[in-house]
Amino acid sequence: MRRRLSIAIALALAGATGVASAQQAAEPFAESVLQVTINGEHLPGALLVRRDADGTLLVKASDLKALRLKTPTTGAMLVNGQRYYRIGKEVGATVTFDDTTQSVDLNLPAQAFVATKTRLASADAPSKVQAQLGAFVNYDVSAERSSGRTGAGGFVEFGLFGAKGVLTATAVARGDSKNANATRLDTAWTRDFPDRMVTLRVGDSISSGGSWGRSLRFGGLQYGTNFSTQPTLITTPLLSASGDAVVPSTVDVFINGQPVSSEQVQPGPFEISGIPAVNGAGQMQVIVTDALGRQQVVSQPYYAGTSLLRKGLGEYSVEAGAVRRNYTNRSNDYGDAVGSATYRRGMSDSLTAGAHAEA
């Protein structure tokens, strides 16, 4: 009787142990420390993850950044007060667990990754140097003799510069054996303000006609944008190259067959902006090469014009004075009063809007 009782107790204990083991094996949200491989790239360290009841991989929200994954729009859940996301069919992932090596292999589409954005570095702006007092003179003279008659002419420019700007004056002289004369051309004081990319000019100048107006010579005051005060500034829209990389790749960009950029990108969408373009029509070619040497080649035609301003960049000019008449024939012939204003702004990389008024 005692033997039967002991056998029955042993069987009951064995049955209880089997039930506990089965419950533990099917326990949802079980933690695991696994080595992770994403699209063939091994992560340097192990990751603490969980598995859902159906075996789907659960990743903590705080670990998505380390995996360079976008935050999924679905599949969020709370486990012990922490937010997890399901990484499975919801995000187009193929997940393979290997319990013998304590690892998990993930294959995800490029759209599941955070985009890699790169902007090509522009040249450093030159430092501003305080101008010292100085002067210069430019000249061009010529003479000829034909049929017993001698003629001569010359152009001369004087300049005086310092911390307050540049004062210039130009004149032309011509004569022969019978008569000679000299005519003043332009006299003006100019001061640049590189920090604001504007220039103030007082004296003789040429007005801005805008996109449809007519420029004319006048004497007076002119104030407006002068991009040449920042030589490294690129005013026209720049090109950009974008695409998708499933694995770590190298992206090479060519403009009209000339290499302009080579960037390393991580899996996922990528965008390389700030690519300089040659004015006029051209061809941009993007070559994506992965670690196995496989290449994707994309060619795209483009058009870049000097009259276009890049998005957000504006320029303006305001002039007032008197119309210059008989230029190169008379030194001080001024007529009616004139005033004009011009403004242009890049609304987008493909649209530049402008306004012009004159009286």
Side-chain angles (χ1 to χ4, degrees):
M1 189 68 181
R2 291 179 180 175
R3 291 181 179 177
R4 292 181 180 177
L5 180 60
S6 61
I7 293 174
I9 292 174
L11 291 175
L13 291 175
T17 304
V19 172
S21 300
Q23 289 178 348
Q24 183 177 2
E27 179 186 356
F29 315 133
E31 286 187 336
S32 300
V33 178
L34 303 178
Q35 292 288 337
V36 181
T37 301
I38 300 182
N39 291 9
E41 183 181 13
H42 300 283
L43 297 187
L47 194 67
L48 179 63
V49 300
R50 292 179 183 269
R51 298 192 202 184
D52 204 347
D54 59 357
T56 303
L57 178 67
L58 299 180
V59 176
K60 287 190 294 185
S62 58
D63 290 332
L64 292 177
K65 184 177 181 181
L67 299 176
R68 296 188 58 257
L69 296 179
K70 295 179 181 177
T71 301
T73 57
T74 60
M77 60 177 61
L78 290 176
V79 181
N80 295 337
Q82 287 188 322
R83 180 177 293 274
Y84 284 78
Y85 286 93
R86 292 170 57 89
I87 305 300
K89 296 181 179 179
E90 298 88 345
V91 296
T94 301
V95 184
T96 304
F97 291 97
D98 189 343
D99 294 329
T100 58
T101 59
Q102 290 293 297
S103 63
V104 58
D105 188 7
L106 301 177
N107 283 288
L108 297 110
Q111 292 75 16
F113 293 92
V114 176
T116 300
K117 295 185 178 181
T118 305
R119 184 173 183 85
L120 299 186
S122 58
D124 295 333
S127 58
K128 185 170 62 175
V129 179
Q130 186 70 29
Q132 303 297 319
L133 185 63
F136 63 88
V137 59
N138 294 317
Y139 62 91
D140 185 5
V141 296
S142 62
E144 64 178 4
R145 182 177 177 81
S146 177
S147 302
R149 185 175 180 179
T150 301
F155 168 85
V156 63
E157 178 186 25
F158 297 97
L160 180 66
F161 59 87
K164 299 300 182 181
V166 182
L167 177 65
T168 58
T170 58
V172 62
R174 48 186 170 262
D176 53 28
S177 56
K178 294 183 179 181
N179 56 50
N181 61 74
T183 305
R184 182 186 67 85
L185 298 179
D186 297 309
T187 304
W189 171 77
T190 305
R191 183 171 183 181
D192 295 328
F193 300 89
D195 296 340
R196 289 175 284 170
M197 290 189 297
V198 296
T199 294
L200 172 65
R201 184 179 177 92
V202 180
D204 297 303
S205 186
I206 301 175
S207 67
S208 173
S211 300
W212 58 86
R214 181 171 62 93
S215 299
L216 54 82
R217 292 185 177 274
F218 74 99
L221 183 146
Q222 184 180 53
Y223 182 78
T225 305
N226 184 4
F227 292 131
S228 63
T229 58
Q230 295 287 347
T232 60
L233 178 69
I234 299 177
T235 62
T236 56
L238 298 176
L239 302 178
S240 63
S242 60
D244 296 325
V246 179
V247 297
S249 305
T250 301
V251 179
D252 297 303
V253 182
F254 296 81
I255 298 295
N256 294 338
Q258 298 298 319
V260 296
S261 172
S262 181
E263 301 290 335
Q264 301 291 329
V265 299
Q266 295 299 316
F270 65 84
E271 179 181 352
I272 302 174
S273 58
I275 301 174
V278 180
N279 290 330
Q283 190 83 11
M284 179 175 69
Q285 189 178 57
V286 181
I287 301 178
V288 182
T289 307
D290 63 18
L292 298 178
R294 296 173 297 187
Q295 290 185 336
Q296 301 178 39
V297 181
V298 179
S299 297
Q300 179 68 41
Y302 73 88
Y303 176 81
T306 56
S307 60
L308 291 175
L309 295 176
R310 59 181 173 82
K311 183 179 180 181
L313 187 64
E315 67 171 346
Y316 64 91
S317 179
V318 179
E319 301 102 3
V323 178
R324 181 78 182 268
R325 301 184 302 189
N326 297 307
Y327 185 70
T328 73
N329 292 322
R330 295 185 181 180
S331 298
N332 302 292
D333 189 2
Y334 294 93
D336 298 335
V338 63
S340 66
T342 305
Y343 180 76
R344 299 172 64 243
R345 185 175 182 85
M347 309 306 294
S348 67
D349 286 345
S350 58
L351 175 63
T352 297
H356 177 74
E358 59 186 34

